[in-house]
Amino acid sequence: MMTNTNSRGFRARVREVVLAAVRGLVLALVMPALSILCFVLTVVSVALIPAGLGILTTPAVLGGVRDVADVRRRLAHEWCGMRIPSAYRPLPAKAGPWTRTLALLRDPQVGRDVLWLPADMTAGFVTALLPALAVFYPLEGFAVAAGLWRVLGDGYWYGFVPVTGQATAFAAAGLGAVILVAAARYAPALLTVHFRLTRAVLAPGEGELTERVRVLTETRKDAVDTSAAELRRIERDLHDGAQARLVAMGMDLGTVEMLLDKDPEKAKRLLAQTRQASVEALGELRDLVRGIHPPVLAERGLGDAVRALALRLPVPTEVTVDLPGRADAPVESAAYFAVSEVLTNAVKHSGADRIWVDVHHVPEGAGMLRISVTDHGRGGAVIGAGSGLAGVERRLGTFDGVLAVSSPAGGPTMVTMEIPCALS
């Protein structure tokens, strides 16, 4: 039993060492070429910005740089269990090339990605190649001892051993054996060194992480406050609406019971009133439930829920949905009520006679749910204290989402909401 356990442990260790060597070789042969290509394209594209051409090419090139960096982050997690965080700023939806280019150039994470490229093609190449050399270089020493030295000629060195005959060839094999023993112990750790270097360049600094924690703390507090206010609203609506009607119905039914023998006609009229009150109470309860979590949202998803919301508006609203799946229920709920609030503001304040809603999912990176609400009303919408949009911003912030508003005087107004999420 002990022998079998040791044998399995030995095979697992050999597999781990060889896998580290192969992965390092792949990184050394493939990734630096991508880094060189991305770096050259980035330099050329940025240099062409004054000529105008770079404004069109830079967003695509920097998007490719981000894709390469994301691949390295994923490999670091899958191969070494190392997480390399990122802190990309969301890009404004439907922005022009100039706006997108400026936003990308001002993003500190994009800057780190570009600085990582020369580091990856130099030190990254060396650190990726080390585990492969440690495992495969000893094979050359063994081949030399097996007779390869006869065809190599004078002046051949294996490491620091000059190979001039069979004796020195055996010395080369001995050096290869020492290197192989060291590789069996340190090859996986050498691969980790490569990803530690990657993390040192790509990971955001402490200042950004501290700011991130501060923002998340504030949004969590806003979420708690919003939930408490919502519970108070529900309690108030129940007390002043449906509950009051149900109490009145109970009293009316008691009166009907007393009038059945004395005044049947009056009892019938009172029963009709009570039935109407029950219909109104049921309607209020349905409205209350819809305000908590619309049934259509739970049953059919965000797209159909927004379409149903648009049908109830007094202003003609065109809804476009492109969602190949469904987001998590809390994300769908936050997005739905955010859209509801934005549409309510547009109906009340914009003076527009038509509204457009676009709901789609951007699969790049970790995924992004992007919703835009556009009207051609009077404009002038701003995010500020007391504004309904400020509440929408807090709601989205709970899920690390953002709100952007473009509303010049005279219109049109475009409100864009983005929530990071994946679809199932």
Side-chain angles (χ1 to χ4, degrees):
M1 180 67 71
M2 184 65 69
T3 302
N4 290 338
T5 302
N6 292 338
S7 177
R8 286 196 297 270
F10 175 75
R11 288 197 298 270
R13 183 61 182 178
V14 170
R15 181 179 180 278
E16 182 183 9
V17 170
V18 173
L19 202 56
V22 172
R23 287 170 172 173
L25 188 61
V26 170
L27 287 173
L29 295 179
V30 177
M31 292 303 181
L34 288 177
S35 297
I36 293 172
L37 177 63
C38 288
F39 186 74
V40 171
L41 290 177
T42 300
V43 172
V44 173
S45 183
V46 172
L48 290 175
I49 288 178
L53 181 60
I55 297 174
L56 301 176
T57 60
T58 298
V61 171
L62 293 181
V65 172
R66 175 174 176 171
D67 291 339
V68 172
D70 283 339
V71 168
R72 195 63 57 88
R73 293 185 182 97
R74 187 174 68 251
L75 293 180
H77 178 60
E78 294 176 355
W79 290 358
C80 294
M82 183 184 302
R83 293 189 177 275
I84 303 177
S86 61
Y88 293 102
R89 295 176 179 175
L91 293 176
K94 297 185 178 179
W98 177 250
T99 302
R100 292 177 64 85
T101 299
L102 284 181
L104 286 168
L105 293 177
R106 291 172 179 172
D107 190 340
Q109 184 63 65
V110 174
R112 283 190 293 270
D113 290 352
V114 174
L115 290 176
W116 165 71
L117 294 174
D120 185 59
M121 68 181 75
T122 53
F125 169 77
V126 173
T127 53
L129 194 59
L130 284 177
L133 288 176
V135 172
F136 297 127
Y137 187 55
L139 301 180
E140 182 182 345
F142 301 151
V144 168
L148 183 63
W149 66 273
R150 301 179 186 277
V151 299
L152 293 176
D154 296 336
Y156 170 76
W157 287 67
Y158 179 80
F160 56 82
V161 177
V163 179
T164 57
Q166 189 63 56
T168 51
F170 282 138
L175 177 59
V178 172
I179 296 174
L180 189 60
V181 170
R185 180 172 183 139
Y186 297 111
L190 290 175
L191 185 63
T192 303
V193 170
H194 171 80
F195 289 113
R196 288 184 183 277
L197 172 67
T198 303
R199 184 174 62 181
V201 182
L202 287 181
E206 291 295 329
E208 288 183 67
L209 293 177
T210 301
E211 176 66 14
R212 181 78 173 147
V213 171
R214 184 190 67 79
V215 171
L216 290 176
T217 302
E218 289 182 357
T219 55
R220 182 180 62 182
K221 179 179 180 298
D222 289 338
V224 172
D225 293 342
T226 301
S227 298
E230 190 71 9
L231 288 175
R232 289 193 296 270
R233 182 190 67 82
I234 294 170
E235 181 181 7
R236 183 178 62 253
D237 290 347
L238 283 173
H239 183 272
D240 297 341
Q243 180 179 333
R245 289 188 182 276
L246 291 173
V247 171
M249 287 169 54
M251 296 174 64
D252 289 343
L253 289 173
T255 304
V256 168
E257 187 177 6
M258 291 186 296
L259 291 174
L260 278 176
D261 296 330
K262 297 179 181 180
D263 192 348
E265 291 300 323
K266 187 174 182 180
K268 288 181 181 180
R269 291 195 299 271
L270 197 54
L271 278 175
Q273 295 176 9
T274 304
R275 183 178 61 185
Q276 181 60 32
S278 70
V279 172
E280 293 174 356
L282 183 60
E284 289 181 357
L285 286 174
R286 285 175 175 168
D287 290 340
L288 183 62
V289 170
R290 189 180 294 111
I292 298 172
H293 193 77
V296 67
L297 179 62
E299 296 169 4
R300 303 179 61 180
L302 179 63
D304 286 339
V306 173
R307 290 190 181 101
L309 183 65
L311 290 174
R312 297 197 299 270
L313 295 177
V315 177
T317 302
E318 180 180 334
V319 179
T320 303
V321 178
D322 183 13
L323 296 176
R326 294 192 60 173
D328 293 338
V331 173
E332 284 191 334
S333 180
Y336 173 84
F337 287 109
V339 173
S340 177
E341 181 69 24
V342 173
L343 288 174
T344 300
N345 285 346
V347 171
K348 287 183 178 179
H349 307 298
S350 71
D353 58 11
R354 194 165 190 85
I355 301 174
W356 294 266
V357 181
D358 179 72
V359 183
H360 66 279
H361 186 261
V362 181
E364 285 81 6
M368 183 80 67
L369 178 63
R370 183 172 293 161
I371 305 170
S372 63
V373 178
T374 307
D375 67 72
H376 53 53
R378 64 177 61 94
V382 294
I383 304 174
S387 166
L389 294 176
V392 174
E393 186 177 42
R394 288 194 300 270
R395 184 188 292 273
L396 298 179
T398 305
F399 297 90
D400 201 18
V402 294
L403 176 72
V405 178
S406 173
S407 184
T413 295
M414 173 182 284
V415 178
T416 303
M417 295 162 277
E418 293 184 345
I419 306 178
C421 70
L423 299 185
S424 59

